[in-house]
Amino acid sequence: MELLNALALLSNYVLVPALAYGSQLALGALGVTLVFGILRFSNFAHGDTMAFGTMVTILFTWWFQSMGIHLGPLPTALLAMPFGILFCAAYVLATDRLVYRFYRSKRSDPVIYLIASVGVMFVTNGIVRFIIGPDDQNFADGERFIIKAGEFKKLTGLSEGVSIKLSQGITVITMFIVVALLFWFLNKTRSGKSMRAYSDNEDLALLSGINPDRVVAITWILAAALATIAGTLYGLDKSFKPFTYFQLLLPIFAAAIVGGLGNPLGAIAGGFVIAFSEIMITYAYKRVIAYLVPGDWVPDGLIQLLSTDYKFAVSFVILLLVLLVRPNGIFKGTGV
Amino acid sequence: MRNLVYFLIISALIVLVGQFQSWNLALSILNLCIISAIMALGVNIQWGYAGLFNVGIMGFAALGGLAAMLISMPPVREAWSAGGLGIAGGIVALILTVLCAVFSYRKMRGTRFRTLIVVLVSVVGYFVLRSFFDPASDAIEKVNPASSGYLGGLGLPILLAWPVGGVLAGAAAWVVGKITLGLRADYLAIATLGISEIIVAMLKNEDWMTRGVKNVVGLPRPVPYEINLQQSDWFIQLAARLQTDPVTFSSIFVKICYAGLFGVVLLLVLYLSEKALRSPWGRMMRAIRDNEVSSEAMGKDVKARHLQVFVLGSMVVGIAGAMLTTLDGQLTPSSYQPLRFTFLIWVMVIVGGSGNNWGAILGGFVIWFFWIESEPMGIWLMNTLTSQMDSGSALRAHLIDSAQHMRLMTMGLILLLTLRFSPRGLIPEKNAHH
Amino acid sequence: MSFLLAQGMTGGYGSVDILHDCTIAVEAGEIAVIVGPNGAGKSTAMKAVFGMLDIHSGSVILDGEDITALSPQDRVAKGMAFVPQTNNVFPSMSVEQNLEMGAFLRRDDINKTMEEVYELFPILREKRRQNAGELSGGQRQQVAVGRALMTQPKLLMLDEPTAGVSPIVMDELFDLIIDIARTGLPILMVEQNARQALNIADKGYVLVQGRNRFTDTGQALMNDPEVRKSFLGG
């Protein structure tokens, strides 16, 4: 019983949140890794692209809400998300047309793309703040929980409850659907295979008649879709604030690098590695231990490895460790 | 010749601000221009000389700020007696842990459990360190939390903090550079982004050291205080001779003193950078930048040279960061924003002319000037544009309210436009091999 | 008229000309080989034929059509297939997917062509699920040629197909090239191993410093004492 309680406690505060957060990071890292695989640079604007797509989704959500359109128990944002993806894709394609295409035609050094992406990040950040403002926005509606802690306790008779927020459930399910679709696309469709071929050997792809502009455009559209979905899910789960999305860059990059830049499977694994490490290291284990050891053995402190203020340090340290030990990532990427 | 014109124009602009807005404002713009120029010089050493993309400028500047506080503030005796020993123990534990980890990493080369052992050593060390730190920092933070609650500093002259800030920043740069240089440029960029976020998080949360978001105010100054000036006879006479009001003149005088100090540092850094650029070392750096592969083939240790230049550049940024905190007279960790510190400096370097020290300085002046002046300009523009709208209109209020965000967009556009249409900047590098 | 006629090509990279009035022709159903010392512009001549290099005089005519102004991609669509010397497979894709990518531009059923490729290179059928990056050098070369054949080309161009493989594998590859030529596909190739290449060639071009030095049938060049002395090591 005590053991079950400890497990319930861990599920509630570690497992469930980490699964949701990991899914969000995985989706974000997939976008970064796809852009890296095809265009060969780390896109610093990705966090702000997420913010842009989410912002459009929020605006449509508000519009739908004002017209009385709802999805019942599900958040209206799911209905608005396709519009977010549409606008975000258009925006990202416009940045490619206006910014990156020029450097592609000149075959510029990757670091030039990095700087250009910083410029795009600035502009995107400005646009998002200009339109929706720098503050927190809450746009979740519908049911709050799939399982409430109280219901769980009643159901199982345990003294610790496990609650699963609807947003967390939606996040994980959406992640599975999106990843399945993405892998189907990359492995089974003509366009997907041409993307992989281009990422593998650009010159040979050209010799095979693969149109580079098309591959690049598809990549940007996918990246925009992944960014919008990841951003919306994160916003539903927590809240939307432009600066937070900029800060998500670090864990997302860490996830992509840990998994091996350019490797989609690695990006997903990396997302979960980062999310679980971050939450496990910043969780205070005192109450879990209290269930497992006799009363007078329970330590005074919180038994928290690191304060949550330093959660970014976790991504950072994992990133450095991977760079030290396996610079290509856990799964081999196209990096280095 | 053209370069001289650029500098004359920006000087004239500052003078115009003095004439039409106020001399006080003009001088504070000038002071921040100088600091920005020094930071831009530091980044230019990394980017222009060696092609390294550092996205952690904010962190290195923040370390400089930390140094300014640690050097200049008087020590808090009670806090030291409450937790000084524990903190010292923690620091010793930290050093020992790092030494043990590095030692086992070196000694275990080639063995299977190396990573495991190193991680184990670090984890054990971490717990030992925490067992010292936690009680100590709690005790320290309980000492007069409203006014101190931290250890204070060393009570030394704040000018000393400038080189110390450089050393702190250089040390952090060494660690990051050691790990990420030699890998893709992307990795260095991301790692520097990470370290700067962590440094600022530390400044915000380690209350025993920095008071966190409660800020440390009233850092001792290297220049006279206005109130003292206003009471000195010589100053009142000087003001009378210049026919100005002593109160206004005192704050202008203080700013001139700062400008003098900062100017000396700027000239010194510029002199050294130029000398280094022209030396065999500088030529080698540029040769490496322009063709890494062939330089490596010629037996040059590219990674070691890059590490050198990365540390040097970060030191300059650290010095500038210490100067900035000195000017502010307070350490406010929440003021360290990546867009303001990291990315704005990048705009300066790119716009000024990467690889050219004069260009970096010009970029620092120009971009800072427009960063400050774009806010009133943006608000004025929005007011004019929306003047036809109903004054109670929500959209108008929103637009005027958002004018401040316009400058982010403007800076981004300036960066993108320069990179595209004038990639060599206002003052291009001389005899560049591009 | 020849099936491929690249006549009087002059050009190079940037301002320096590497090719000077160089002419290469391939007849229908024949193997033509370009040989010559290092730095003679052999690969450059091949690239010029494929449009990867600007030529400021001369013309390239394929099957009666002037393609001088076309980009490499457009030349692929016109029926040229080019196998680069290195990096000529998609390493993280399976052999089968490599072949599929070769047929990227085709909208018809590619299974028949793939079957023909497997007939020519039985080893590829065995390894078709394996990633091309994991294959040996000789097998990888077969994947590269197979990918090119998937476009159903009218002309196959090989840039040093035997570079960096062992002598045994080299013999195998030459045999395979003869097999391909027997199907009626004209082949233009650049070779480092002049003697073996001329042995299987219907037509040989010896280039020196970007100029045609000797042009004759493979056999005649092999028997020419001057060619033997200067380029075949006696």
Side-chain angles (χ1 to χ4, degrees), chain A residues 36 40-42 44 98-99 102-103 110-112 114-116 118-123 125-127 129-131 134 243 246-247 250 253 257 261 304-306 309-310 313 316 319-320 323-325 327 335-336, chain B residues 47 53 55 105 115 126-127 130 179-180 183-187 189-191 193-195 197-198 201-202 205-206 337-339 343-344 346-347 350 382 398-399 402 405-406 408-409 411-413 415-416 419-420:
Chain A
F36 184 88
R40 314 244 187 268
F41 74 99
S42 307
F44 270 79
L98 294 173
V99 181
F102 171 75
Y103 301 106
V111 75
I112 300 293
L114 277 189
I115 299 176
V118 165
V120 172
M121 179 195 85
F122 248 120
V123 173
N125 196 302
I127 293 175
R129 288 182 190 214
F130 182 75
I131 295 178
F243 187 64
F246 165 77
Q247 285 189 315
L250 187 60
F253 273 138
I257 292 178
L261 269 177
Q304 185 183 20
L305 284 168
L306 202 65
D309 301 318
Y310 292 114
F316 181 72
L319 176 71
L320 287 193
L323 290 184
L324 269 177
V325 182
V336 185
Chain B
W47 166 244
F53 190 49
V55 197
Y105 182 80
T115 317
Y126 179 73
F127 279 108
R130 283 283 299 266
I179 297 175
T180 51
L183 301 172
R184 295 183 54 94
D186 308 57
Y187 292 168
I190 294 161
L193 179 76
I195 190 94
E197 291 285 334
I198 290 170
M202 265 177 69
N205 294 299
E206 296 304 310
Q337 296 287 336
L339 289 173
F343 297 111
L344 198 63
W346 266 101
V347 181
I350 300 287
M382 275 299 166
H398 176 77
L399 284 177
S402 317
H405 307 305
M406 290 287 281
L408 284 180
M409 224 179 306
M411 285 301 147
L413 282 178
L415 176 66
L416 288 173
L419 199 62
R420 164 93 183 244

Side-chain angles (χ1 to χ4, degrees), chain C residues 51-71:
Chain C
M52 289 163 78
L53 177 82
D54 291 330
I55 53 172
H56 45 75
S57 64
S59 63
V60 182
I61 293 166
L62 179 73
D63 201 7
E65 190 178 350
D66 190 333
I67 56 168
T68 316
L70 296 187
S71 70

Side-chain angles (χ1 to χ4, degrees), chain A residues 50-328:
Chain A
M50 281 168 64
F52 185 90
T54 313
M55 173 193 75
V56 178
T57 307
I58 292 175
L59 295 178
F60 272 94
T61 307
W62 286 343
W63 189 46
F64 288 153
Q65 285 168 344
S66 73
M67 291 194 306
I69 302 175
H70 292 286
L71 268 183
L74 297 174
T76 316
L78 288 184
L79 204 61
M81 206 155 67
F83 297 95
I85 293 174
L86 214 64
F87 276 81
C88 190
Y91 175 74
V92 164
L93 286 175
T95 61
D96 182 69
R97 176 72 185 73
L98 294 173
V99 181
Y100 301 117
R101 200 174 75 158
F102 171 75
Y103 301 106
R104 222 165 30 245
S105 70
K106 275 185 44 179
R107 289 186 168 247
S108 295
D109 201 55
V111 75
I112 300 293
Y113 288 88
L114 277 189
I115 299 176
S117 79
V118 165
V120 172
M121 179 195 85
F122 248 120
V123 173
T124 313
N125 196 302
I127 293 175
V128 170
R129 288 182 190 214
F130 182 75
I131 295 178
I132 205 165
D135 306 318
D136 257 323
Q137 310 287 349
N138 198 339
F139 60 103
D141 54 4
E143 288 290 330
R144 289 264 294 132
F145 289 98
I146 298 175
I147 302 176
K148 283 188 185 145
E151 291 168 0
F152 181 87
K153 285 186 209 168
K154 220 177 284 168
L155 214 64
T156 57
L158 291 174
S159 55
E160 288 298 335
V162 176
S163 67
I164 301 177
K165 283 197 288 182
L166 181 67
S167 59
Q168 292 168 327
I170 290 176
T171 297
V172 175
I173 292 170
T174 312
M175 192 274 297
F176 272 110
I177 295 173
V178 168
V179 166
L181 280 176
L182 181 71
F183 276 77
W184 170 80
F185 178 81
L186 288 179
N187 289 311
K188 296 288 175 216
T189 66
R190 219 170 101 85
S191 305
K193 283 184 206 167
S194 70
M195 269 179 71
R196 286 176 52 214
Y198 188 90
S199 155
D200 243 19
N201 188 338
E202 192 179 327
D203 293 325
L204 197 61
L206 299 180
L207 289 185
S208 306
I210 291 170
N211 180 354
D213 295 331
R214 208 179 113 84
V215 169
V216 168
I218 295 173
T219 308
W220 279 121
I221 293 171
L222 286 179
L226 288 165
T228 307
I229 295 170
T232 305
L233 294 175
Y234 186 88
L236 279 175
D237 194 13
K238 285 149 187 144
S239 74
F240 173 82
K241 187 180 181 190
F243 187 64
T244 319
Y245 281 64
F246 165 77
Q247 285 189 315
L248 276 178
L249 255 192
L250 187 60
I252 283 177
F253 273 138
I257 292 178
V258 165
L261 269 177
N263 183 328
L265 207 64
I268 299 168
F272 284 102
V273 167
I274 297 290
F276 271 89
S277 318
E278 204 172 273
I279 292 180
M280 279 165 67
I281 289 176
T282 54
Y283 176 63
Y285 288 92
K286 180 174 183 170
R287 284 175 56 210
V288 178
I289 293 173
Y291 278 114
L292 297 178
V293 299
D296 42 343
W297 285 19
V298 177
D300 293 332
L302 289 169
I303 316 301
Q304 185 183 20
L305 284 168
L306 202 65
S307 127
T308 41
D309 301 318
Y310 292 114
K311 59 181 184 193
F312 291 116
V314 179
S315 328
F316 181 72
V317 169
I318 295 176
L319 176 71
L320 287 193
L321 279 179
V322 168
L323 290 184
L324 269 177
V325 182
R326 286 185 76 133
N328 274 328

